[in-house]
Amino acid sequence: MTGPLADRQAALVAALTAGAPVPPGFDARLVEVARTALLRKRAGEVARQWPLLAAAHGPRWPATFAAWAAARPTNGSVRDGWDLARAQAASGVLPRLAAEELAAREATFRYDGTGAVRRRRAPALARAAGAVAVQVGGRVRLLRRPA
Amino acid sequence: MTTPVNTPATTPAYGVGIGWRPEIAGVVAGLPGLRFAEVVAESVHPHAPLPDALAALVDRGVAVVPHGVRLNLGGAEPVEAARVTAFAAVAERLRAPLASEHIAFVRAGGVEAGHLLPLPRTREAVAAVAANVRRVQDELAVPLALEPIAALFDWPDDELTEAEFVTAILDATGARLLLDVANVYANARNRGADPLAVLAALPLDRVAYVHVAGGAEHDGVYHDTHTDAVPAEVLALVTELCARHRPPALMLERDGHYPPEADLRAELDAIAAAAGYPAVT
């Protein structure tokens, strides 16, 4: 493959993060190994930011995260976990523990799904998959747990 | 060619250090002999107060080196000015004797890779990295050390060996070498090369400090995970390196799956023993 370095780097990143084909000339098996390793590393990083989300999926967490993230380049582990939790809530598959974590997060921070995560200054009530959390002065309480 | 900044006679030998992470701050604080640590540069706010545990390390005279992972020195585009400014500010905040980054790229076309990716070992890539390194050096008040990464694959059009590639970048910039012996081990094992031969080809007199880390095999390939124990082969490489040219500092990198404190301390002791430095525990 030829072309300016910038284009070639972009093609490689697309193959590793967005499901694009492996650029010609690379060892496809090793690039696939790297792609898998990258998803495993991201799953670990998201688990650190979203411990209950990861714990609620148990041993299936790495595979669950990888399936969701395979064609989604990272926006950072906080946002990646948030986006996955919201997607699972929307499709009714967010586990109970994870719903509580998401509701608490929603009550504490403002996140529009595309930009930076910002701490809320005002008190807030948030719902997620049946969980309800209220935040006042930075302290969060769960009002209702999911059924 | 710029004259490289070699280890001057006044450089203190720091001995064995560790990568500071919030999860192991308590363990690090409890190391009486510690004189060297490293922190991920992007995890430190350039202006807000330092985390207490990190401030305490700096105050007790531990050299804390910021280690950048997001500058993208290997990107084909110029390194982002705001990132360079923040990196330099963090080095200043930590009163660091030097700072470090990688010979790698981490994003392209506006997309984050989420990992350090290898560069083609070409003259074009040497020039791209060197230009970015100079942009950082222009703002940074202390020497910069560059770390060659562990690569799971190579580019199809490599013109240079890894040692030639690294040396060309160091020659062009005067930067020092952050040698990761676990990366040397991983690359040699995965490429079917002799790690000692790789070591011998590197400019060991320019080593600023050394990383030691653990890894594991997945899919028939050795991965430099930083979440597994340091293998005996990597410790053996530490001994071989120190027999040739003992670096002023060698530090353990651990980035997750943190073991019990006793295991972490045992790894630090094993590095000290392999290097011939006093234990810091």
Side-chain angles (χ1 to χ4, degrees):
Chain A
M1 180 183 175
T2 55
L5 185 58
D7 295 344
R8 303 181 64 204
Q9 289 184 339
L12 188 56
V13 170
L16 288 168
T17 64
V22 175
F26 284 87
D27 183 323
R29 183 184 74 86
L30 290 179
V31 174
E32 176 58 21
V33 167
R35 193 186 71 86
T36 308
L38 200 60
L39 288 168
R40 191 164 48 231
K41 177 171 173 249
R42 282 179 63 187
E45 288 169 356
V46 171
R48 241 191 287 181
Q49 298 293 338
W50 294 83
L52 299 184
L53 175 64
H57 285 90
R60 291 194 36 78
W61 166 249
T64 302
F65 177 81
W68 177 83
R72 289 182 174 89
T74 182
N75 288 311
S77 45
V78 170
R79 283 180 57 189
D80 287 354
W82 209 313
D83 292 343
L84 172 56
R86 281 181 177 174
Q88 292 201 329
S91 50
V93 297
L94 188 68
R96 197 178 71 93
L97 263 179
E100 295 175 8
E101 186 175 47
L102 178 59
R105 239 19 112 80
E106 300 279 11
T108 312
F109 299 92
R110 191 185 305 281
Y111 171 48
D112 65 5
T114 57
V117 173
R118 301 195 187 285
R119 187 172 285 278
R120 294 182 187 274
R121 293 173 191 280
L125 180 83
R127 294 164 213 279
V132 181
V134 65
Q135 174 268 127
V136 179
R139 288 170 179 267
V140 187
R141 270 185 53 194
L142 279 168
L143 293 189
R144 187 149 59 84
R145 295 173 186 280
Chain B
M1 169 175 158
T2 314
T3 305
V5 185
N6 286 331
T7 312
T10 51
T11 297
Y14 295 107
V16 173
I18 189 165
W20 186 90
R21 307 287 183 263
E23 294 89 340
I24 53 170
V27 180
V28 178
L31 297 171
L34 188 73
R35 299 187 56 213
F36 188 91
E38 184 192 72
V39 61
V40 174
E42 288 82 356
S43 74
V44 178
H45 194 286
H47 305 296
L50 291 176
D52 289 346
L54 201 53
L57 278 190
V58 173
D59 288 345
R60 73 179 238 217
V62 176
V64 181
V65 173
H67 184 51
V69 296
R70 308 283 303 277
L71 279 181
N72 202 31
L73 293 180
E77 310 86 9
V79 62
E80 290 170 42
R83 291 184 188 275
V84 178
T85 301
F87 184 67
V90 168
E92 203 158 315
R93 292 221 52 189
L94 294 168
R95 305 199 292 274
L98 73 159
S100 60
E101 244 286 0
H102 299 86
I103 299 176
F105 77 105
V106 299
R107 72 182 69 82
V111 178
E112 296 288 332
H115 198 58
L116 302 160
L117 295 178
L119 294 167
R121 295 194 298 267
T122 60
R123 296 282 167 199
E124 182 191 18
V126 169
V129 176
N132 275 332
V133 167
R134 285 190 212 99
R135 289 181 186 104
V136 176
Q137 288 171 322
D138 283 348
E139 282 207 43
L140 194 63
V142 291
L144 180 68
L146 299 175
E147 176 183 359
I149 64 165
L152 290 172
F153 58 85
D154 290 311
W155 287 62
D157 49 344
D158 290 338
E159 301 164 356
L160 307 169
T161 66
E162 176 144 16
E164 291 166 345
F165 181 63
V166 169
T167 304
I169 292 167
L170 300 184
D171 281 349
T173 58
R176 297 173 68 187
L177 178 60
L178 164 48
L179 178 63
D180 187 318
V181 289
N183 292 352
V184 170
Y185 172 72
N187 290 341
R189 177 166 158 172
N190 290 337
R191 291 171 184 152
D194 174 11
L196 286 179
V198 176
L199 263 194
L202 287 166
L204 298 182
D205 57 330
R206 300 188 210 176
V207 173
Y209 65 107
V210 166
H211 277 172
V212 183
E217 189 168 309
H218 296 281
D219 309 315
V221 176
Y222 183 84
H223 294 250
D224 177 54
T225 61
H226 299 188
T227 57
D228 296 276
V230 178
E233 294 92 328
V234 170
L235 288 173
L237 216 45
V238 167
T239 300
E240 293 286 350
L241 168 70
C242 291
R244 286 165 174 75
H245 206 287
R246 190 164 67 169
L250 303 96
M251 52 151 282
L252 175 66
E253 277 190 298
R254 183 84 187 204
D255 286 303
H257 289 270
Y258 295 100
E261 177 168 359
D263 294 7
L264 215 48
R265 293 168 71 97
E267 288 216 313
L268 292 171
D269 289 347
I271 294 169
Y277 273 126
V280 296
T281 53

